[in-house]
Amino acid sequence: MTTDSQTEAGTGLQFPTGFLFGAATAAYQVEGAATVGGRGPSIWDTFAHTPGRVLGGETGDVAIEHHQRYREDVALMADLGLQAYRFSISWPRVQPDGSGALNTAGVDFYSRLIDELLAAGIEPWPTLYHWDLPQPLEDAGGWPERDTAERFADYAGAITAVLGDRVRQWTTLNEPWCSAFLGYGSGVHAPGRTDPAAAVRAGHHLMLGHGLAAGRLKAGGHKVGVTINLYDVLPVSDRDVDLDAARRIDGLQNRFFLDPVLLGSYPADVIEDLAEVTDFAHVQDGDLAVISTPLDMLGVNYYSRHVVTGEAGGGDDGHGGSGGASPWPGSEQVGFVKGDLPLTAMGWEIHAEGLTSVLERVATQYPSVPLYVTENGAAFPDVPDADGLVRDPDRISYLDGHLRACQAAIDLGVPLHGYFCWSLFDNFEWSWGYSRRFGLVYVDYETQTRTPKSSAYWYGDLIRGRLTP
Ligand code: FCB
């Protein structure tokens, strides 16, 4: 991208009054302080400390020290002009065993963080589960076991009772697809199991946990939502075999979660695709009614598209683990194809139009629910200049394109009310360790110095309305 077009990025972008602009992080990716204040181990601690699981053997033990530096970090958010901060609560920090009394020291951290945000005029937007299951619950069987859903609902009820007076909108889960299918299917995420039937059960119990928690939150007078990662899934050609591959992947990626949560049923074709894997006997009467408890908001995380083929010859889906176990139970024959679009440092295709498509699809095919983009962003190999500035024109271009896609969705009548950039900071990118930088703010991992990249200033100007004449 040239300097000239950079200066134009953002011009003409206009969002409705009250549209919320924020940025996101997640506990294990930023907090560090892994054993401070009685925090217990999560499945990500165990996984990251297992040789060969995370690139370079890196862990979230220290991460970017957000636990210790949260005041400085909130001040930076305020300087940048953020209106909301999406963070996650570490379940093992506030309830180390995954059951029983809350850990006061852990709860105090989030209480102080929320107060600091409110004092800075920034809306706290907490997520209750961003993948860090307390290890004792995994030892008892993890998400493939029904009891984990009950434990999650208890935790959700307890923590929202303490912090809920200062939070307008709660989110139960972040991206249950990743927890279930990367955690228990392909094993590239914690807990690293490779059991397709367990992955499908985990998906169900995550949604059940969400539904049970939603009931508790609503009974307590709180607003509840859930965040799902959606892809624009396209067939590589209009041959039947490719159309069927697209149907399958759309089924597992998108409809496996959207249908139960918003319609109260599993898609019949997905149940059929999974027939060899599971008989769905784990689904009990009444579960789907619980799972489809009406939502106050649906969070959509969007990064890229999937172009798929039903014939051999395709590659992996961009989540790592090609050649290993598949995150697509019952659909292992499907291959993923790269088109000619530019790629991010994750190897993900940049396809902003797909964001309009997925938002419009949710708005038209499912009952109306307020939508928020709760994650969108890109990794690039950012390097500070000799003058110390971090210029990231590719990220500005990515964000500009995707914000235009949001605007296009709103113009089509989609009830989109906010947008959170992933991520506020460079951080621990799961099995990629610290090798992939998604931040608006550059973090020097040696010194923990934070340096806003040009995209951070650009985003701040956009929020303040300075880019639109
Ligand atoms: C999403 C995760 C988030 C981050 C981005 C890049 O799947 O929710 O934690 O890793 O991808």
Side-chain angles (χ1 to χ4, degrees), residues 131-396:
W131 309 352
D132 43 1
L133 187 71
Q135 183 62 41
L137 294 185
E138 175 60 21
D139 297 341
W143 286 111
E145 293 302 318
R146 189 176 178 88
D147 188 57
T148 305
E150 299 285 350
R151 298 284 69 73
F152 177 70
D154 285 351
Y155 148 65
I159 193 75
T160 54
V162 188
L163 300 177
D165 56 330
R166 287 159 287 159
V167 172
R168 179 174 66 106
Q169 174 68 59
W170 289 95
T171 301
T172 53
L173 308 175
N174 176 70
E175 300 191 357
W177 182 86
C178 293
S179 300
F181 294 111
L182 298 180
Y184 294 91
S186 68
V188 303
H189 279 187
R193 283 159 65 180
T194 53
D195 175 346
V200 176
R201 288 203 308 278
H204 181 72
H205 294 140
L206 280 150
M207 286 190 280
L208 182 62
H210 153 73
L212 292 168
R216 304 274 177 101
L217 266 64
K218 291 207 144 202
H222 306 296
K223 284 193 170 178
V224 65
V226 61
T227 279
I228 299 182
N229 52 326
L230 300 179
Y231 276 75
D232 191 18
V233 181
L234 304 163
V236 73
S237 82
D238 58 7
R239 290 176 313 163
D240 285 350
V241 67
D242 296 328
L243 293 171
D244 193 58
R247 179 197 60 71
R248 277 172 176 274
I249 297 306
D250 174 55
L252 286 169
Q253 176 79 60
N254 300 322
R255 290 180 291 118
F256 185 93
F257 297 97
L258 289 172
D259 282 23
V261 167
L262 295 172
L263 301 176
S265 57
Y266 274 105
D269 61 316
V270 174
I271 294 183
E272 215 174 290
D273 291 343
L274 291 170
E276 305 271 291
V277 176
T278 173
D279 57 7
F280 278 82
H282 54 277
V283 179
Q284 297 185 6
D285 285 352
D287 283 4
L288 286 153
V290 170
I291 289 171
S292 57
T293 300
L295 297 177
D296 298 299
M297 81 87 194
L298 178 74
V300 173
N301 288 0
Y302 176 85
Y303 287 93
S304 188
R305 67 177 186 179
H306 284 321
V307 180
V308 298
T309 172
E311 286 191 339
D316 74 282
D317 62 4
H319 282 99
S322 81
S326 169
W328 306 104
S331 298
E332 291 80 357
Q333 72 278 23
V334 172
F336 293 77
V337 179
K338 290 271 185 284
D340 50 8
L341 297 178
L343 305 177
T344 70
M346 298 298 284
W348 299 345
E349 288 184 317
I350 301 175
H351 177 56
E353 299 78 13
L355 177 53
T356 311
S357 311
V358 304
L359 292 170
E360 196 193 358
R361 187 241 187 122
V362 174
T364 54
Q365 296 182 6
Y366 294 90
S368 180
V369 55
L371 302 177
Y372 286 78
V373 171
T374 38
E375 281 183 29
N376 173 246
F380 291 107
D382 307 307
V383 184
D385 287 354
D387 55 12
L389 298 178
V390 185
R391 296 187 171 88
D392 58 344
D394 290 340
R395 183 169 292 99
I396 293 177

Side-chain angles (χ1 to χ4, degrees), residues 443-465:
V443 178
D444 177 329
Y445 297 119
E446 297 298 317
T447 61
Q448 297 289 359
T449 308
R450 280 86 160 119
T451 306
K453 304 175 191 177
S454 359
S455 59
Y457 296 116
W458 176 85
Y459 190 49
D461 282 349
L462 177 89
I463 297 170
R464 293 181 168 111

